[in-house]
């Protein structure tokens, strides 16, 4: 990460998604919500399965600030 990025990772020790899992084809409601949260802040989503599920979102702070200002999110 650099000074303009934040990494948010959520992980558990459950079995996680299988090797055939494709984030672009995922339709469960929770995954749709995660993808929807990433979009307006220019977030990039990564999913790993290494003894459990790990979902990481990389957020570009400049993009997030621009989007927040454009939509008056903090006023």
């Amino acid at each position: 990460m650099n000074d303009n990025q934040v990494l948010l990772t959520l992980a558990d020790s459950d079995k996680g998604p299988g090797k055939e899992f494709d984030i672009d084809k995922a339709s469960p409601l929770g995954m749709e919500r995660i993808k929807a949260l990433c979009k307006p802040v220019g977030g990039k989503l990564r999913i790993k399965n290494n003894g459990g599920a790990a979902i990481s979102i990389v957020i570009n702070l400049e993009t997030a600030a621009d989007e927040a200002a454009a939509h008056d999110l903090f006023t």
Side-chain angles (χ1 to χ4, degrees):
M1 303 292 90
N2 62 42
D3 289 344
N4 292 323
Q5 294 178 318
V6 172
L7 173 66
L8 171 66
T9 300
L10 303 169
D12 67 25
S13 59
D14 199 4
K15 65 179 182 174
K19 290 182 180 181
E20 69 283 348
F21 179 79
D22 182 347
I23 185 66
D24 294 322
K25 295 180 182 174
S27 62
L29 183 57
M31 191 57 61
E32 289 300 319
R33 287 181 178 171
I34 291 170
K35 290 192 293 189
L37 288 170
C38 288
K39 204 172 215 176
V41 294
K44 296 194 182 348
L45 186 61
R46 292 187 241 165
I47 297 179
K48 286 200 238 177
N49 186 6
N50 189 12
I55 299 173
S56 297
I57 302 170
V58 178
I59 299 171
N60 181 304
L61 296 176
E62 290 176 1
T63 302
D66 291 345
E67 286 295 320
H71 295 93
D72 293 324
L73 295 178
F74 297 111
T75 59

